[in-house]
Amino acid sequence: MNRNRKSFTEQEIHTLENNPNVLRVTGKNITYSPMFKVSAVQAYQEGQTPMEIFLQAGFYIEIIGKDMPKKCLLRWRKAYATLGEVGLMEERRGKGSTGRKSEKELSAEDKLRRAEARIRLLEAENELLKKLEALERQTSKTLPSS
């Protein structure tokens, strides 16, 4: 999600919710109806620009932002190309996110690699602490006691 995106005001949310092409609106997100997504991709394939498609669908560009039509069509076209109409029928945000593998999913080789890296880190930490301790002892010997 674009962190620079402005939040919608209560009035803007109300306006967006009244558009039949919108399923729901939160402070920063619009969930478009699946049928709108499909018809938008088809209109794009027939030569309409993203801006034309959104304007004809009753969206106010001042509310949604001038980049939003292009970004949405790009995302929807990718989903349509890989999954067909089905890809536009269900909300896809967050699906297929890789994230970090859980410990259960790691192979024995990966677990060993992680453990070895952790051991090296802890050994380096121990060496650093030993040097620090030696340095502190050396400094305390050279400082005159008060």
Side-chain angles (χ1 to χ4, degrees), residues 60-122:
Y60 297 97
I61 301 306
E62 313 81 58
I63 295 177
I64 64 172
K66 65 180 176 60
D67 296 334
M68 201 48 55
K70 193 174 183 179
K71 288 179 181 179
C72 288
L73 258 297
L74 182 65
R75 190 172 63 247
W76 298 341
R77 286 181 13 240
K78 283 182 185 175
Y80 186 81
T82 54
L83 303 164
E85 272 189 32
V86 176
L88 299 174
M89 290 297 172
E90 64 177 16
E91 185 58 45
R92 305 259 342 135
R93 281 183 276 201
K95 290 193 177 175
S97 172
T98 54
R100 184 183 291 176
K101 285 184 179 180
S102 75
E103 290 290 328
K104 296 174 192 165
E105 295 176 29
L106 292 176
S107 69
E109 193 175 288
D110 287 337
K111 286 181 182 177
L112 178 62
R113 202 173 297 125
R114 275 196 181 177
E116 288 171 342
R118 182 163 167 74
I119 290 168
R120 283 192 301 275
L121 177 70
L122 292 171

Side-chain angles (χ1 to χ4, degrees), residues 1-143:
M1 181 170 77
N2 183 355
R3 298 284 176 223
N4 298 328
R5 185 184 305 160
K6 70 172 187 112
S7 295
F8 298 119
T9 64
E10 286 299 318
Q11 180 60 44
E12 290 170 335
I13 290 172
H14 183 68
T15 301
L16 288 165
E17 286 175 336
N18 286 331
N19 187 315
N21 298 305
V22 172
L23 285 183
R24 70 185 153 277
V25 182
T26 65
K28 290 192 179 225
N29 291 316
I30 305 169
T31 302
Y32 300 93
S33 77
M35 292 313 297
F36 172 63
K37 293 177 186 181
V38 171
S39 64
V41 169
Q42 290 170 346
Y44 183 84
Q45 289 172 338
E46 292 167 7
Q48 288 188 22
T49 67
M51 189 68 76
E52 290 171 339
I53 294 166
F54 273 72
L55 288 171
Q56 286 175 5
F59 287 100
Y60 297 97
I61 301 306
E62 313 81 58
I63 295 177
I64 64 172
K66 65 180 176 60
D67 296 334
M68 201 48 55
K70 193 174 183 179
K71 288 179 181 179
C72 288
L73 258 297
L74 182 65
R75 190 172 63 247
W76 298 341
R77 286 181 13 240
K78 283 182 185 175
Y80 186 81
T82 54
L83 303 164
E85 272 189 32
V86 176
L88 299 174
M89 290 297 172
E90 64 177 16
E91 185 58 45
R92 305 259 342 135
R93 281 183 276 201
K95 290 193 177 175
S97 172
T98 54
R100 184 183 291 176
K101 285 184 179 180
S102 75
E103 290 290 328
K104 296 174 192 165
E105 295 176 29
L106 292 176
S107 69
E109 193 175 288
D110 287 337
K111 286 181 182 177
L112 178 62
R113 202 173 297 125
R114 275 196 181 177
E116 288 171 342
R118 182 163 167 74
I119 290 168
R120 283 192 301 275
L121 177 70
L122 292 171
E123 286 174 341
E125 198 175 83
N126 281 340
E127 286 302 311
L128 184 66
L129 289 171
K130 285 179 187 175
K131 288 179 183 177
L132 181 63
E133 202 173 67
L135 198 63
E136 285 175 343
R137 273 195 310 268
Q138 195 176 30
T139 332
S140 67
K141 287 180 186 175
T142 57
L143 288 177

